[in-house]
Amino acid sequence: MKRMLSGIKPTGQLHLGNYIGALRNFVKYQDDYELYVFIANLHCVTFYQEPRVLRKNLKDAIALYLACGLDPEKCTIFLQSDVFAHAQLGWLMACQSYMGELSRMTQFKEKSQKNDEGITAGLFTYPSLMAADILLYDADYVPVGDDQKQHVELARDLAIRFNNRYSETFVVPEPLSPKVGARIMSLSEPTKKMSKSDESDKGCIYLLDDLATVRKKIMSAVTDNLANVDYDKENQPGISNLLEIMSSLSGEAIDSIVSRYQGKGYGEFKKEVADVVCREIEMIQKKYDKIVKSDLIETTLKQGAEEASKISYRKLKKVQKKMGVDIF
Ligand code: ATP
Ligand code: LTN
């Protein structure tokens, strides 16, 4: 069975973009792959996080993993910092990465431009740690949204570099992104991706938003004045985004939705999008409410950390031996 690994970095509440671009696909993959999913809490602290808020977001993210259908009996779910090999291989990978390649990372460039509090060294070496996350488990595939593809490419480069320098050690991973929904856009600025780091909350639907808020955000989504439901990302980015959201949640092809709405208004279309999104979110929230009251989060993380530690420790030892870091 091929191995797959992915992580989410919950510096805020998880949103519909995370769900459609990542989470929901993990659930589909757990039956066909040996799946490892983790919460990248070490990646969260490249910027200051209020400890109390971070703790709540991490816990919510695990609960949402479970609520969306990830099953700890079918896959390994863990918290990155519980598995010590990540930070350790992260350092060794930083020592394989060149300043030039890390400086070219789009996410680093964007986030360092936006932030005026000071850019940490952690933000710069973030992709080296991400490479370690992936390479520790010999993952064949890494399902991510479009924005993370460049980081997976770096993991590939580092694996190849290491294998050439020290002999065959790592599997070279491949990124995997969904055909529809790899980049859900903001509802208020449909040329930007839906993101928890959005300044305004209107463009981002959180999985834990109450349903009235979800509906309101969709009904006031920015569209255009062409008055025609069509999939045209360039001229109708708002409508195209709503079409992608609806198609990926309902399974109905975009063409089919477009033809159903010929000659009809945006209001009616948005109402159906809101119905589809609310139905999905309501289901998730019901499960979430039960999970947070149970001890499932704790038991899942304990079991996950044990399994992940075993595999990753073996790999770390192998790497250290090859590099000459280990003596015995
Ligand atoms: P944000 O911009 O909201 O901070 P992120 O990409 O930095 O998001 P994560 O929460 O770690 O942080 O993202 C988890 C996964 O969700 C990644 O695979 C990412 O590619 C995917 N993802 C994030 N935003 C979107 C989006 N708008 N559309 C599709 N996939 C997304
Ligand atoms: N960088 C990713 C989160 C992440 C990840 C990973 C994803 C950290 N390590 C390993 C896939 C594989 C993000 O910001 N979304």
Side-chain angles (χ1 to χ4, degrees), residues 292-308:
V292 284
K293 287 185 202 131
S294 74
D295 61 359
L296 192 61
I297 298 178
E298 211 178 328
T299 53
T300 300
L301 289 186
K302 189 164 177 284
Q303 179 187 329
E306 276 167 19
E307 284 167 26

Side-chain angles (χ1 to χ4, degrees), residues 5-9 38 40 43 80 107 126 129-130 133-134 142-144 147-148 151-152:
L5 169 136
S6 200
I8 280 190
K9 174 179 63 85
F38 68 101
H43 282 91
Q80 187 183 25
Q107 182 174 294
Y126 176 116
L129 177 59
M130 178 158 161
D133 298 336
I134 298 168
V142 184
V144 283
D147 58 316
Q148 293 298 321
H151 292 156
V152 182

Side-chain angles (χ1 to χ4, degrees), residues 8-9 15 17-18 21 144-145 147 182 184 193-197:
I8 280 190
K9 174 179 63 85
H15 54 73
N18 299 138
V144 283
D147 58 316
I184 299 299
K193 79 161 193 157
M194 183 179 284
S195 166
K196 60 199 162 220
S197 2

Side-chain angles (χ1 to χ4, degrees), residues 53 81 86 122 176 207 209 240-241 247 269 273 303:
V53 177
S81 64
H86 286 250
L176 206 70
L207 296 179
D209 270 347
S240 303
N241 188 39
S247 166
F269 170 59
V273 178
Q303 179 187 329

Side-chain angles (χ1 to χ4, degrees), residues 102-114 123 150:
L102 294 178
S103 317
R104 282 193 293 277
M105 294 291 137
T106 311
Q107 182 174 294
F108 172 72
K109 286 196 270 187
E110 282 176 6
K111 296 213 168 175
S112 54
Q113 270 162 13
K114 251 200 230 163
L123 182 69
Q150 197 187 21

